[in-house]
Amino acid sequence: MFITKTMNESAGLDVPNMSLDQYMVESACEAYEDLINLNEALAHFDIKEQELICTESVELDTFREEAMEKAKTFLKDLVAKVKAKWNQFINFVLKKVAESNKKNMDKINEVMRGVNASSFAKAVDEKGLKIKYFAKCLKFSDCVDHIADYMTQAFKAIDSEKDLANFKPADFFKEVVGEAKEARTVSGKDLLETFKSVSNGSAMVKKAEKSLEIAIENAGKAGSGDEKEAARRVTLVNLKGQQVVKVALSAYNAISSKCGWAILGVANSWRKELNKNKTDEK
């Protein structure tokens, strides 16, 4: 019924061209509209049931059975749509990551052309490079894996959290990964390993994708009469999942940016020093 129409209209997997914030606002508006529509449909069943009770209708038992089946179908369709929208959101994020990576990689590959990796790593070590990164990461190159682990843990927490409305992804990130307050020395080898890890940001996102799908499915498991609360939780699980990805993407972009600027800075200094030595030799 209503939810089937909504799925056909808006659950396609085309990736829209908009900012992440704009996407999430529109997604939230649509999600709550679906929830309101489902609640109105369930309320209509309640009203009809009361009418049949008041008139002592012989159709009451039959209506109740049909209403129960329709309520289950409404919830099942909502879960299917939310999973489809979650996949669309992940595709959207993957596109953003790919676009960002291409710009950064083009710059770095250009400046690193002809640069010997071992000589570059030695130049980084001699420079005494220091970078602020997350407190619970032992090495700079651990950051991307920790961000991926954060998403997986956050999605599992969402799955089991009773007070889901008050679950704060940003606070959970600080608990799991920590804050970037103290600048620590980064070796040349570690910087190059970090570059490899940020080059594959898509894998970071895909690694955690299925965990929230499971949480959506679990949220949609409801006994008869509990469809309204289950629908509310399904909606919250999806929206909280998007917030988790936003936090993770912000952290990933920060690490990617710091890594990129560090490589560009050291590579340019290395080239200048190399040219200076060649000039001195002449």
Side-chain angles (χ1 to χ4, degrees), residues 24-245:
M24 291 177 65
V25 168
E26 293 193 9
S27 178
C29 290
E30 181 182 336
Y32 282 116
E33 182 180 351
D34 288 342
L35 187 59
I36 290 170
N37 289 338
L38 185 144
N39 288 339
E40 288 178 349
L42 295 180
H44 174 74
F45 292 157
D46 291 338
I47 294 170
K48 181 65 176 178
E49 181 182 33
Q50 290 304 312
E51 290 176 355
L52 295 174
I53 291 173
C54 291
T55 59
E56 298 182 352
S57 173
V58 294
E59 298 177 0
L60 179 59
D61 289 342
T62 301
F63 171 78
R64 281 175 170 167
E65 290 179 7
E66 292 177 351
M68 287 170 56
E69 289 304 314
K70 287 179 180 178
K72 290 178 182 177
T73 300
F74 287 168
L75 180 58
K76 181 180 178 181
D77 289 345
L78 178 66
V79 170
K81 178 184 177 179
V82 169
K83 287 176 65 176
K85 296 299 289 184
W86 170 250
N87 289 329
Q88 183 188 46
F89 175 71
I90 291 297
N91 288 339
F92 173 81
V93 170
L94 289 172
K95 179 182 177 184
K96 292 294 183 184
V97 170
E99 289 174 348
S100 176
N101 274 355
K102 186 177 186 308
K103 292 178 183 178
N104 294 335
M105 295 309 112
D106 286 348
K107 291 179 183 178
I108 293 174
N109 287 332
E110 177 64 27
V111 78
M112 288 292 287
R113 186 176 294 125
V115 175
N116 179 273
S118 60
S119 298
F120 175 83
K122 183 179 179 181
V124 173
D125 294 340
E126 291 174 348
K127 185 179 179 63
L129 178 67
K130 288 192 174 185
I131 299 176
K132 288 183 180 180
Y133 58 94
F134 306 117
K136 296 190 178 183
C137 299
L138 296 178
K139 299 183 298 180
F140 191 42
S141 54
D142 290 339
C143 289
V144 173
D145 282 342
H146 275 61
I147 294 169
D149 289 342
Y150 153 73
M151 285 193 287
T152 300
Q153 289 186 47
F155 294 156
K156 289 180 179 178
I158 287 171
D159 190 16
S160 60
E161 179 62 56
K162 293 182 179 179
D163 187 15
L164 190 54
N166 290 316
F167 177 76
K168 295 178 173 56
D171 291 346
F172 192 76
F173 183 89
K174 293 176 184 177
E175 292 178 20
V176 174
V177 188
E179 298 181 75
K181 291 184 175 181
E182 181 183 353
R184 287 178 277 171
T185 300
V186 175
S187 70
K189 180 182 178 181
D190 194 26
L191 183 62
L192 291 174
E193 287 178 352
T194 305
F195 174 64
K196 289 180 182 179
S197 66
V198 298
S199 301
N200 199 11
S202 296
M204 176 194 76
V205 177
K206 294 293 289 184
K207 181 180 178 182
E209 177 185 7
K210 294 297 180 183
S211 299
L212 195 83
E213 282 192 17
I214 293 171
I216 292 170
E217 291 172 356
N218 289 339
K221 296 174 182 177
S224 180
D226 296 329
E227 289 84 6
K228 183 176 179 179
E229 176 56 29
R232 187 187 76 87
R233 186 168 180 85
V234 166
T235 301
L236 270 178
V237 165
N238 178 43
L239 297 179
K240 289 294 181 179
Q242 290 186 17
Q243 292 173 17
V244 166
V245 173

Side-chain angles (χ1 to χ4, degrees), residues 231-280:
R232 187 187 76 87
R233 186 168 180 85
V234 166
T235 301
L236 270 178
V237 165
N238 178 43
L239 297 179
K240 289 294 181 179
Q242 290 186 17
Q243 292 173 17
V244 166
V245 173
K246 180 181 178 181
V247 170
L249 194 59
S250 176
Y252 166 79
N253 287 338
I255 294 301
S256 180
S257 178
K258 289 178 181 181
C259 178
W261 281 113
I263 289 175
L264 291 173
V266 174
N268 286 329
S269 296
W270 181 83
R271 285 185 183 280
K272 288 180 181 178
E273 185 65 25
L274 185 65
N275 291 334
K276 180 178 179 297
N277 291 339
K278 288 181 179 179
T279 303
D280 291 345

